[in-house]
């Protein structure tokens, strides 16, 4: 009771803060296409992520954190607090040749915080519109943007290759605000890491900081070189059996190093103790298929682009020094759309209304019940939908079997005993930083690895696995069967009917996508000095205006 009282008191004090400078800083770090089994606090001994893990052990790990199954919808939901289908951003992610964007009529996260005196910065990926200047980050509430505007880039050359009807099309996609960043050199994870540290170092502490670091890692690169990492880091992963998984592990290692460096930079700036740090993945990993990065969502079923748990149940944690005295594992449902109201409340701002996101701050702080009991996934491009309500999950429409099965079990091979997890923790940057704070990290809940680890007896060769489509639906008790092995729709027609009815309400709210995945020849990089740059003026009609 005393612990809960202290945490609730903290919540009240934060909520009643007056003055811009006293508001907590926010650093929001997004991994791209990172699998459930690719952070070691979920139990993996193959890929170690000690910096990320320590934030979970001394903060709050989110056991049931959900996102949309692909990047553009998940980032749209994050920024607006609305489900992707409500803003017309559902389904297949934006390509660089589309004249489509998150509608400019939507007020988004950096705008809310900027109004409250925050310095707002984005480092890394945008991916919610780039054909017009008014779609760019600096037109939508960010004071600065350094990064790529599209879905991914080559880790060294910073270009993006797309295949159009006319053939392969390539262009440079790295910008500093409105200008092409031709002068940049280096591995992109390191480049973004240095930029994030520079922003923290130069930050005017009389204002609160809102910094979003949206890494390219560990998304795959272009088809000709999908997995890229410095050779010495790859070589250090020789304990991993499969070479493609070894490259992926090195990409994750560089991502984890960046998390540690950012925490150290906050500490050196003297603002860590008044900072809220969030780490999430935008969606599940892509183990195989086109654009695979060899991530693993094991033992969850499905990949990125699927409505099964491997596509939408993802890594998530929140850290603040004042959260460390409580429960380090929160079991409630949370959706990516909830971050806008939750972080607003966390820093003493009245959360916006008329959104799908729910303010979960008090529930997380007090380890209480979640106010969210509804998760929605609609993809009218592919033609599937899913709904989670309470203990049950319904999947309908046409899913893609190759993206909806069990994968990753062949990736787990380790040569020898592998690296020492305890050593990796003690050698990490976050461990060093926490040693200077009054945080009982030496007694941190490292047993959380066992508490959050999902174990399922899955027969990956079984032909009895349910795939929705052609009138077939799949129903699961998602609490008892997180790996979605047993369809219970036949014996629970009442639950199927209830969930299907609720899903129809969301279909009526959905804004249909207009000409999805259609590239315009005016966007050809060859017309713009081989850059994926602005190609349509603001006075031209658009379905997003």
């Amino acid at each position: 009771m005393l612990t809960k009282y202290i945490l609730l008191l903290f919540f009240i004090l934060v909520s009643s803060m007056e003055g811009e400078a006293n508001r907590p800083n926010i650093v929001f770090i997004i991994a791209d296409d990172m699998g459930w089994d690719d952070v070691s606090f979920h139990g993996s001994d193959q890929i170690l992520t000690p910096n990320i893990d320590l934030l979970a052990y001394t903060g709050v790990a989110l056991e049931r954190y959900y996102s949309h199954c692909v990047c553009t919808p998940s980032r749209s939901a994050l920024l607006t607090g609305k489900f992707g289908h409500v803003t017309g951003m559902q389904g297949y992610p934006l390509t660089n040749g589309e004249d489509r964007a998150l509608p400019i009529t939507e007020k988004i996260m950096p705008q809310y915080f900027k109004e409250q005196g925050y310095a707002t910065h984005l480092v890394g990926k945008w991916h919610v519109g780039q054909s017009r200047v008014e779609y760019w980050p600096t037109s939508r509430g960010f004071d600065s943007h350094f990064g790529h505007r599209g879905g991914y880039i080559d880790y060294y050359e910073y270009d993006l290759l797309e295949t159009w009807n006319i053939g392969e099309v390539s262009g440079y996609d790295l910008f500093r605000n409105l200008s092409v960043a031709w002068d940049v050199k280096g591995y992109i994870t390191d480049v973004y890491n240095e930029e994030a540290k520079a922003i923290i170092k130069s930050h005017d502490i009389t204002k609160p900081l809102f910094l979003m670091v949206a890494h390219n890692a560990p998304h795959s690169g272009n088809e000709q070189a999908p997995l890229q990492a410095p050779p010495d880091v790859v070589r250090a992963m020789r304990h991993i059996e499969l070479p493609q998984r070894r490259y992926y592990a090195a990409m994750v290692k560089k991502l984890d190093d960046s998390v540690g460096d950012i925490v150290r930079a906050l500490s050196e700036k003297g603002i860590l103790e008044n900072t809220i740090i969030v780490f999430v993945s935008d969606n599940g990993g892509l183990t195989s298929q086109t654009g695979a990065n060899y991530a693993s969502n094991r033992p969850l079923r499905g990949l990125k682009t699927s409505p099964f748990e491997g596509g939408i149940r993802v890594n998530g944690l929140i850290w603040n020094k004042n959260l460390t005295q409580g429960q380090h594992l929160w079991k409630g449902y949370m959706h990516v759309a909830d971050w806008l109201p939750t972080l607003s409340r966390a820093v003493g701002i009245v959360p916006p209304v008329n959104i799908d996101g729910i303010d979960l701050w008090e529930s997380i702080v007090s380890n209480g019940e979640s106010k969210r009991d509804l998760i929605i996934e609609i993809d009218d491009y592919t033609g599937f939908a899913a709904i989670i309500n309470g203990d049950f999950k319904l999947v309908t429409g046409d899913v893609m079997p190759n993206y909806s099965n069990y994968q990753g079990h062949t990736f787990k091979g380790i040569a020898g005993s592998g690296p020492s997890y305890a050593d990796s923790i003690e050698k990490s940057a976050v461990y060093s930083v926490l040693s200077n704070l009054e945080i009982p990290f030496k007694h941190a809940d490292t047993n959380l690895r066992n508490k959050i680890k999902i174990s399922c007896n899955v027969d990956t060769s079984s032909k009895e696995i349910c795939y929705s489509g052609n009138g077939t639906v799949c129903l699961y008790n998602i609490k008892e069967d997180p790996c979605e092995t047993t369809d219970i729709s036949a014996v629970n027609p009442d639950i199927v009917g209830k969930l299907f009815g609720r899903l129809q309400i969301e279909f009526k709210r959905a804004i249909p996508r207009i000409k999805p995945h259609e590239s315009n020849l005016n966007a050809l990089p060859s017309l713009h000095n081989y850059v994926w740059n602005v190609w349509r003026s603001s006075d031209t009609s658009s379905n997003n205006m």
Side-chain angles (χ1 to χ4, degrees):
M1 289 298 294
L2 180 60
T3 297
K4 287 188 176 182
Y5 172 78
I6 293 172
L7 293 172
L8 287 172
L9 179 61
F10 165 68
F11 166 73
I12 294 170
L13 289 173
V14 168
S15 299
S16 63
M17 284 180 179
E18 295 182 358
E20 296 173 356
N22 291 326
R23 293 193 191 278
N25 307 293
I26 298 173
V27 175
F28 201 107
I29 305 171
I30 309 173
D32 200 344
D33 291 7
M34 189 180 198
W36 174 268
D37 198 36
D38 299 332
V39 289
S40 42
F41 78 83
H42 280 171
S44 174
D45 291 319
Q46 186 191 60
I47 299 178
L48 303 185
T49 53
N51 292 296
I52 296 169
D53 290 13
L54 273 173
L55 291 180
Y57 297 154
T58 59
V60 177
L62 304 171
E63 184 181 50
R64 292 186 176 273
Y65 173 63
Y66 285 83
S67 189
H68 287 307
C69 68
V70 284
C71 32
T72 294
S74 67
R75 291 164 200 272
S76 298
L78 168 66
L79 292 168
T80 62
K82 298 180 180 181
F83 294 137
H85 63 272
V86 176
T87 59
M89 300 303 287
Q90 69 276 15
Y92 196 93
L94 276 172
T95 60
N96 279 26
E98 287 186 75
D99 183 29
R100 191 168 67 91
L102 182 63
I104 59 176
T105 52
E106 295 290 341
K107 187 175 180 180
I108 66 172
M109 185 179 285
Q111 294 171 309
Y112 286 102
F113 288 107
K114 189 178 180 69
E115 287 179 351
Q116 300 298 324
Y118 276 78
T120 57
H121 303 279
L122 171 62
V123 175
K125 179 173 174 174
W126 177 235
H127 207 195
V128 291
Q130 65 180 63
S131 59
R132 307 162 184 248
V133 173
E134 60 263 37
Y135 295 162
W136 295 356
T138 49
S139 299
R140 309 206 60 177
F142 282 107
D143 294 330
S144 73
H145 174 229
F146 173 72
H148 57 294
R149 298 173 185 155
Y152 62 90
I153 51 176
D154 182 273
Y155 282 74
Y156 289 100
E157 300 303 323
Y158 322 135
D159 56 356
L160 171 75
L161 177 72
E162 292 186 349
T163 301
W164 292 10
N165 292 335
I166 61 172
E168 293 184 333
V169 175
S170 179
Y172 192 83
D173 189 8
L174 187 63
F175 299 85
R176 184 176 296 280
N177 300 322
L178 306 185
S179 302
V180 185
W182 290 114
D183 60 320
V184 177
K185 297 179 181 178
Y187 186 67
I188 194 61
T189 306
D190 292 337
V191 170
Y192 286 164
N193 183 45
E194 292 302 315
E195 180 73 12
K197 292 192 298 180
I199 288 173
I200 294 168
K201 184 177 180 179
S202 62
H203 175 64
D204 178 0
I205 61 173
T206 64
K207 300 179 67 175
L209 172 66
F210 176 78
L211 171 61
M212 184 173 288
V213 184
H215 273 292
N216 192 52
H219 197 292
S220 62
N222 293 313
E223 183 178 351
Q224 291 74 12
L227 303 178
Q228 299 175 323
D232 60 321
V233 183
V234 177
R235 197 169 299 116
M237 301 295 161
R238 283 180 290 184
H239 65 279
I240 296 175
E241 178 185 3
L242 297 180
Q244 60 268 49
R245 182 69 171 167
R246 202 176 302 153
Y247 273 90
Y248 175 79
M251 295 158 69
V252 172
K253 171 66 164 60
K254 296 299 289 182
L255 171 67
D256 184 71
D257 287 346
S258 175
V259 172
D261 285 350
I262 289 170
V263 172
R264 181 187 285 120
L266 291 166
S267 178
E268 291 174 349
K269 184 68 175 180
I271 60 175
L272 176 61
E273 296 183 60
N274 190 35
T275 297
I276 295 169
I277 300 173
V278 174
F279 177 86
V280 299
S281 180
D282 63 341
N283 45 251
L286 193 58
T287 309
S288 65
Q289 311 306 315
T290 302
N293 66 345
Y294 297 92
S296 173
N297 305 311
R298 191 178 65 94
L300 298 178
R301 176 183 175 183
L303 314 179
K304 170 186 177 179
T305 77
S306 101
F308 292 95
E309 295 293 274
I312 62 175
R313 183 174 175 180
V314 296
N315 309 319
L317 66 87
I318 183 169
W319 184 95
N320 179 270
K321 182 185 176 184
N322 294 287
L323 294 176
T324 58
Q325 303 301 315
Q327 173 61 252
H328 297 294
L329 178 62
W330 190 60
K331 295 178 176 291
Y333 283 128
M334 184 176 188
H335 190 267
V336 62
D338 298 329
W339 284 116
L340 175 56
T342 298
L343 291 176
S344 296
R345 180 69 68 187
V347 301
I349 300 172
V350 177
V353 296
N354 299 321
I355 60 175
D356 297 302
I358 297 172
D359 168 18
L360 299 175
W361 179 248
E362 185 175 357
S363 298
I364 294 171
V365 167
S366 63
N367 193 32
E369 294 292 324
S370 177
K371 298 176 184 177
R372 172 167 295 285
D373 67 350
L374 189 71
I375 307 289
I376 301 290
E377 186 68 17
I378 292 177
D379 182 345
D380 55 9
Y381 179 84
T382 304
F384 59 71
I387 178 172
I388 298 175
N389 184 219
D391 291 353
F392 297 98
K393 176 177 179 179
L394 180 71
V395 181
T396 72
D398 297 318
V399 300
M400 299 176 287
N402 289 343
Y403 291 81
S404 303
N405 52 9
Y406 298 97
Q407 299 186 33
H409 55 284
T410 61
F411 286 3
K412 62 184 179 179
I414 298 177
S417 58
S420 166
Y421 183 64
D423 286 351
S424 74
I425 289 287
E426 293 187 5
K427 292 176 181 178
S428 68
V430 173
Y431 186 96
S432 175
V433 169
L434 294 184
S435 67
N436 296 319
L437 298 177
E438 294 179 1
I439 293 179
F441 66 94
K442 291 183 179 179
H443 306 289
D445 191 5
T446 52
N447 286 328
L448 184 146
R449 296 183 82 204
N450 296 321
K451 294 178 182 179
I452 202 171
K453 186 175 182 179
I454 298 173
S455 298
C456 303
N457 294 319
V458 177
D459 179 3
T460 58
S461 63
S462 174
K463 297 182 180 180
E464 301 301 319
I465 298 172
C466 179
Y467 294 94
S468 68
N470 296 321
T472 298
V473 300
C474 306
L475 179 69
Y476 305 97
N477 184 319
I478 207 66
K479 293 286 184 70
E480 296 179 358
D481 181 21
C483 294
E484 299 168 294
T485 61
T486 306
D487 171 37
I488 57 174
S489 60
V491 295
N492 291 281
D494 54 333
I495 297 176
V496 171
K498 175 186 174 183
L499 295 184
F500 190 79
R502 181 62 184 82
L503 199 53
Q504 301 315 298
I505 296 175
E506 294 301 318
F507 278 126
K508 291 178 180 178
R509 297 179 68 212
I511 298 177
R513 290 183 55 173
I514 307 299
K515 298 180 180 178
H517 202 186
E518 182 175 281
S519 297
N520 192 304
L521 290 176
N522 291 317
L524 277 170
S526 59
L527 301 177
H528 308 281
N529 197 23
Y530 293 94
V531 173
W532 290 108
N533 216 332
V534 62
W535 56 272
R536 180 144 291 182
S537 61
S538 59
D539 59 353
T540 306
S541 63
S542 167
N543 56 54
N544 289 97
M545 299 292 285

